[in-house]
Amino acid sequence: MKKTMVIALLGMMAAGGAQARVIEQACLSSDRASGNRPLCNCIQRVADATLTRRDQKTAAKFFRDPHRAQEVRQSDRQSDAVFWQRYRAFGATAENYCG
């Protein structure tokens, strides 16, 4: 059921047009992905379905500077807390869908 919902979301986003693909580019350039294009593409599709363009730009920075993610997670700012909830949902969805 969960996977079906994710696939439906991804289909809707694909029909909505291409975005800047900032998550995919950050993923491809990171040491962790080792240039795994199918994985990075999958993560980008999930990002397109779950994150705003602004959220994607913020999240892409985490690939270059993982410490920045920690700073956002521990921030006292309400906007960072709300972003972090969306980011965690994105991460869980990407993990479930992209395996």
Side-chain angles (χ1 to χ4, degrees):
M1 173 78 177
K2 215 181 206 186
K3 199 166 195 170
T4 304
M5 290 176 67
V6 171
I7 291 170
L9 269 172
L10 295 175
M12 288 187 306
M13 289 306 295
Q19 290 194 13
R21 307 199 65 78
V22 295
I23 296 288
E24 181 178 21
Q25 291 304 314
C27 175
L28 287 170
S29 65
S30 76
D31 294 339
R32 295 173 296 228
S34 301
N36 186 338
R37 188 166 296 279
L39 175 62
C40 293
N41 183 271
C42 181
I43 293 169
Q44 179 65 58
R45 288 191 318 254
V46 173
D48 289 342
T50 60
L51 297 174
T52 66
R53 189 175 200 141
R54 183 176 183 176
D55 286 348
Q56 288 184 37
K57 287 180 181 181
T58 300
K61 294 174 185 174
F62 298 163
F63 285 88
R64 289 186 301 274
D65 183 8
H67 181 68
R68 178 70 184 128
Q70 185 71 1
E71 290 173 345
V72 171
R73 186 182 73 79
Q74 292 180 329
S75 170
D76 291 334
R77 294 179 52 197
Q78 180 64 24
S79 60
D80 286 341
V82 172
F83 165 78
W84 194 256
Q85 289 176 336
R86 291 189 304 268
Y87 181 73
R88 284 186 48 159
F90 153 71
T93 304
E95 184 175 355
N96 286 331
Y97 185 72
C98 303

